[in-house]
Amino acid sequence: MDSILERELSFDLTEDQKMIRESVKEFVERNVAPTVMERDNSKQFPTEIVKQLGEMGMMGIYHEEQYGGSGFDVVSFCLALEEIARWDASLALTVASHTSLGTGHIAVAGNHEQKLKYMPELCSAEKLAAWCLTEPGSGSDASGMKTTAIKEGDYYVLNGSKIFITQGSVGDVYVVLAKTDPEKGTKGISAFIVERDWEGVNPGPGMHKLGMNSSDTTEVVFENVKVPAQNLLGEEGMGFIDTMKVLDGGRVGIAALSVGIAKGALEESLKYAMERKQFGTAIGNFQYMEGKLVDMATEIEAARLLVLKAAWLKDNNKPYTVEASMAKLFASELSVRAALEAIQIHGGYGYTKEYHVERFLRDAKLMTIGEGTSEVQRLIIARELKKTIL
């Protein structure tokens, strides 16, 4: 097998991929951009916009057509996320988490009957998915989870609490990770499909956050929830292994989302720099300002290529774990740098809510934390690098 330093990427965007990018860009500029500041202030979940994206096929874009998906590829998914996040990272996070985590876990580990039952309504956004992994006492160390699912006859009895759950209160279908055999560590973790209206499922109120204000984030508590045995997702004890597969795909989406935020920061900065005049000329004509803009643009292009490489590898059924981590690490940290630079370019105005760039910074910070912190990504990459010399 080739080392990570030897793998090649060779592709051009297809006509379908270009069409998806342009159609999403047009939709976002028409239906999302005009009201994004209003949603950020009100913290209102964009139900109608999400439904429209579902009608466009964006909420199941790369899932199989036989299960209600659009049958496109992960590259198309990343191009769409970038265009959405350029204006509304909260909305992009909703699309990414629903598609690649909640629905994605069912696509990865579900049997035919489970996929037929749940995926069509999820891919159309008639229902939304939430993925329940993180707990108050376990984040990066998922093996430390306390939630349990104990087999009793034809049911598993689920108890525990999950936190920082995207779509936690607006979701209809949860994928929940729980310990079915607490003595076995990660080999005792299983996944379950849980419906929100079942007795004992208790979503909490929306959490107060730094950013991503119109993305729904809550705690979800499970109290003696009777989960039918047929809702075991994948094999018992394989939940952690399947979770790692789901996270690989999720990280590619988060990386694409990060590129979108950085792209928005650059475009707003360029526009402002050519409009703002100081000392008799636009500040964008000063060499130091040109340097800032050039560095942002160059890093964004590098991040985009990392994202597309990871997506292309996934589409072609090649190993992509480390490429997903590289893309997520670089793009997420870039999004924060780009947002900070955009605020600096805007000066005092960048510190106000009158301009988009302060929101970019608030939204970008989550990218370095969610779906594996930057520190975790470095651990994954380092582990793979060491294999090339051992």
Side-chain angles (χ1 to χ4, degrees):
M1 183 174 68
D2 292 341
S3 79
I4 60 170
L5 304 177
E6 297 171 336
R7 295 179 196 161
E8 296 181 357
L9 168 68
S10 177
F11 76 100
D12 294 314
L13 294 184
T14 66
E15 291 305 312
D16 281 345
Q17 290 164 347
K18 293 175 184 177
M19 177 271 294
I20 288 168
R21 182 177 60 187
E22 290 307 309
S23 63
V24 172
K25 180 179 181 179
E26 180 183 342
F27 173 85
V28 170
E29 290 178 349
R30 184 176 66 250
N31 299 292
V32 177
T35 53
V36 62
M37 286 184 170
E38 178 185 327
R39 284 191 302 281
D40 180 60
N41 289 327
S42 68
K43 303 180 181 179
Q44 186 71 36
F45 185 80
T47 302
E48 290 306 313
I49 294 176
V50 171
K51 287 182 179 178
Q52 289 175 309
L53 286 170
E55 292 168 359
M56 290 174 63
M58 291 300 108
M59 301 299 283
I61 182 170
Y62 65 81
H63 293 307
E64 294 178 82
E65 291 181 90
Q66 65 172 320
Y67 300 122
S70 299
F72 290 107
D73 54 18
V74 181
V75 168
S76 297
F77 176 57
C78 290
L79 295 171
L81 281 179
E82 182 182 326
E83 292 301 331
I84 297 170
R86 181 267 175 266
W87 281 107
D88 191 343
S90 291
L91 178 61
L93 182 61
T94 299
V95 176
S97 61
H98 167 87
T99 305
S100 60
L101 296 183
T103 310
H105 199 136
I106 297 174
V108 164
N111 58 41
H112 180 63
E113 290 72 23
Q114 289 170 334
K115 292 178 182 180
L116 279 179
K117 180 177 180 180
Y118 289 104
M119 287 187 64
E121 289 183 316
L122 293 173
C123 289
S124 66
E126 292 175 55
K127 293 184 176 179
L128 293 179
W131 196 61
C132 302
L133 173 64
T134 303
E135 297 186 1
S138 67
S140 298
D141 180 16
S143 64
M145 70 174 61
K146 302 298 183 185
T147 299
T148 59
I150 306 303
K151 186 78 178 291
E152 293 186 6
D154 294 331
Y155 292 87
Y156 288 85
V157 179
L158 180 67
N159 281 285
S161 62
K162 301 291 183 177
I163 202 166
F164 304 128
I165 305 306
T166 310
Q167 284 88 253
S169 70
V170 299
D172 304 282
V173 177
Y174 301 117
V175 172
V176 185
L177 280 297
K179 286 189 172 179
T180 45
D181 191 339
E183 304 301 317
K184 290 186 177 180
T186 57
K187 294 181 180 179
I189 295 174
S190 304
F192 299 88
I193 302 173
V194 178
E195 299 180 23
R196 184 181 61 179
D197 59 3
W198 289 351
E199 185 176 354
V201 178
N202 302 299
M207 303 181 76
H208 298 289
K209 302 170 294 182
L210 173 67
M212 296 290 183
N213 282 338
S214 61
S215 168
D216 180 62
T217 310
T218 72
E219 183 177 16
V220 183
V221 178
F222 302 94
E223 297 180 303
N224 295 318
V225 180
K226 295 178 69 176
V227 182
Q230 62 262 33
N231 276 45
L232 172 68
L233 183 56
E235 296 178 29
E236 189 171 298
M238 292 291 289
F240 185 79
I241 293 174
D242 290 335
T243 290
M244 294 302 101
K245 297 175 184 176
V246 172
L247 281 171
D248 283 345
R251 285 166 183 157
V252 178
I254 291 297
L257 200 164
S258 299
V259 172
I261 295 174
K263 177 183 177 182
L266 172 61
E267 291 181 354
E268 291 299 306
S269 296
L270 184 59
K271 181 171 65 176
Y272 181 84
M274 298 314 296
E275 292 174 351
R276 176 71 168 171
K277 289 184 169 55
Q278 293 285 279
F279 308 106
T281 188
I283 63 173
N285 292 325
F286 294 127
Q287 190 172 24
Y288 78 89
M289 188 63 70
E290 290 176 335
K292 289 177 179 288
L293 295 168
V294 166
D295 287 348
M296 289 169 69
T298 302
E299 289 193 68
I300 288 167
E301 185 64 14
R304 180 181 289 117
L305 290 172
L306 282 171
V307 171
L308 293 179
K309 179 177 182 180
W312 182 86
L313 289 169
K314 185 176 190 300
D315 282 331
N316 286 274
N317 298 312
K318 297 177 181 291
Y320 73 101
T321 294
V322 71
E323 285 83 1
S325 287
M326 285 179 168
K328 201 269 188 187
L329 172 64
F330 186 80
S332 65
E333 295 196 344
L334 165 63
S335 70
V336 175
R337 291 196 302 273
L340 280 169
E341 195 70 276
I343 291 173
Q344 193 71 20
I345 290 169
H346 280 70
Y349 290 110
Y351 201 66
T352 71
K353 289 185 177 290
E354 218 179 309
Y355 289 78
H356 293 285
V357 291
E358 64 84 30
R359 172 173 52 85
F360 292 159
L361 178 60
R362 290 187 288 107
D363 290 346
K365 186 54 197 167
L366 178 64
M367 302 296 94
T368 67
I369 299 170
E371 297 195 37
T373 62
S374 291
E375 291 75 14
V376 167
Q377 305 316 311
R378 288 185 169 93
L379 288 173
I380 294 170
I381 296 165
R383 183 179 62 208
E384 190 70 17
L385 279 174
K386 291 174 185 176
K387 292 180 182 178
T388 65
I389 61 172
L390 295 178

